Each structure stands twice: as C-alpha cells, then as structure tokens.
Amino acid sequence: MTIDLTIVVADSTTVDGFGSLRADVERSGLRCSIYRTTTLRPKLMTTLGPVLFLHGDIRVCHGAVASLYAEYRRAAAQFSRPVWISPRFLPYGLSPEDGSDFAAKWGISTDAYGFVSSPPLSAPLTGDGHALSMFITSMEAFNSIHMPYETYKGSYFVAVDLGVRVLLAGHKNLLSWTACIEHVGTSCPGEKDSVKEDSKLFFDLWGEEV
C-alpha cells in the first residue's frame, strides 16, 4: 500500500496531543504511518513523501493534518528550496468563550463543542519565521538540520531553535493559515524549571538580535 504521509511523534508529546493527532488522521482520509521516537529523528527510516513531526504540549485542531498535507504538496511544487510548513499556534489558557472570540477575530471556525477547527484550504501561506512545534517537510530536509534536543533541558526552546536553524539554512519556513494547533499547557516533568536556564543557552547560542 502506498503511504501518503509519514508521521513521527516525539515522546515529549502529551497523551492529549497524540490522541488529537490520531483522531485528525482518521478524519483526513490519508494513508499514514505513525512512529514514536525519543529523539524526534526516526532511526533507519527513509521516505520519499512528506513527513509530519509533532512534539510538545499541543492539541491538533480538526482538519490540520489534511490542510498541512495539501499545502505542502502545493508549496513543494512552487519553491525550489526545501519547504517547512507549520500550523498557526493558538495560545494556552483560552476559555471556550475566549477561544470563540479569538477564532472569529482570525477567521478560524469552531465546531458545535467549541473546539477550534482549521479554516478552508483557500487561505494563503505566510512566510514568517517562527517556532516549529508541529511541521511538515521532506525527510531529506529534516535530516539536513541538526536537532537541538541535546542542547536544552526542556522543549520550549527546541521549537524556537529549530525554526532559527531552518531559516539560516535557507529553507522556506512557512506559516499555515489553514491549519491550527492549540497549546494545552506544560505537563512535561521539570519543563517550567528549565525555562530560565534554557533561555540563557538560547541567547548565548544565537544572540539577542534573534
């Protein structure tokens, strides 16, 4: 069977995040293979198609997987450089009412239960540089970027650091306007305690201008 999309889920991903991903994969109708890995870089795995990666304390919104897949196919055909696309990131701590207001402001739809859904596929991509908590790219592009997991104790600055590395490598780091993820709060052991130390490591490495 031909696989449309390979999905790699880091162990830092919460149970809620993994469950929301599995549910959205089923809704997408895509033929997917899902791998779990402690380092985010799957060992001995090769694929010619796009690869979707997920890590951290996030929840995948309805329609995000199908939207990212469709956008990646279009963008990969448009640009000669490697393409990375990640969803829009909705902030932690929104009440259902706040979430609805936020969604209305940015043109994002919500379902009958108040969960944020992805907008229509016709919305444009943006070329902003940004953190990468969930993203789709080619395995070749991903393997060409050093993963900074060994650098930081927590996961907050891994996503930011990775976004910097992708941009400095000259890749297209695109922000989707058709797929969304929600931050569900920090649940990884020691995550909050590591922020101050990891922040110093990040600025020592990249400088204040970044």
Side-chain angles (χ1 to χ4, degrees):
M1 181 180 70
T2 302
I3 299 299
D4 296 316
L5 181 64
T6 300
I7 300 175
V8 180
V9 183
D11 285 351
S12 62
T13 305
T14 62
V15 173
D16 188 25
F18 186 65
S20 64
L21 172 69
R22 291 291 298 262
D24 202 47
V25 166
E26 292 180 5
R27 285 190 293 266
S28 73
L30 296 171
R31 294 162 294 187
C32 301
S33 293
I34 301 178
Y35 297 83
R36 296 298 298 263
T37 173
T38 56
T39 62
L40 197 61
R41 190 184 299 282
K43 297 179 179 178
L44 305 178
M45 191 180 82
T46 59
T47 177
L48 297 177
V51 185
L52 187 146
F53 298 88
L54 177 70
H55 65 113
D57 299 318
I58 61 177
R59 180 187 294 116
V60 179
C61 299
H62 299 184
V65 172
S67 294
L68 287 174
Y69 178 78
E71 287 181 334
Y72 175 80
R73 301 287 296 207
R74 294 198 301 269
Q78 179 181 353
F79 299 105
S80 58
R81 287 183 286 167
V83 173
W84 300 58
I85 303 176
S86 59
R88 293 167 68 186
F89 197 82
L90 305 183
Y92 171 64
L94 294 177
S95 67
E97 293 77 17
D98 291 337
S100 297
D101 290 343
F102 186 92
K105 177 179 178 180
W106 294 104
I108 304 167
S109 62
T110 55
D111 64 17
Y113 301 97
F115 290 106
V116 176
S117 303
S118 296
L121 290 176
S122 59
L125 292 169
T126 63
D128 304 324
H130 50 85
L132 295 166
S133 294
M134 176 181 177
F135 52 89
I136 186 170
T137 188
S138 67
M139 180 57 72
E140 181 181 7
F142 182 66
N143 283 335
S144 70
I145 301 295
H146 172 70
M147 286 302 300
Y149 260 79
E150 317 81 44
T151 306
Y152 304 100
K153 289 186 176 181
S155 62
Y156 278 135
F157 282 89
V158 171
V160 181
D161 189 299
L162 180 57
V164 172
R165 293 173 190 268
V166 167
L167 287 173
L168 292 179
H171 297 185
K172 295 293 292 186
N173 186 359
L174 301 175
L175 181 61
S176 169
W177 282 75
T178 72
C180 302
I181 54 176
E182 295 177 272
H183 185 211
V184 295
T186 299
S187 60
C188 298
E191 183 73 68
K192 291 183 178 179
D193 295 335
S194 70
V195 171
K196 184 175 181 180
E197 183 176 346
D198 284 351
S199 174
K200 184 179 185 305
L201 288 171
F202 177 84
F203 288 113
D204 285 348
L205 181 62
W206 297 113
E208 292 288 341
E209 65 276 7
V210 172

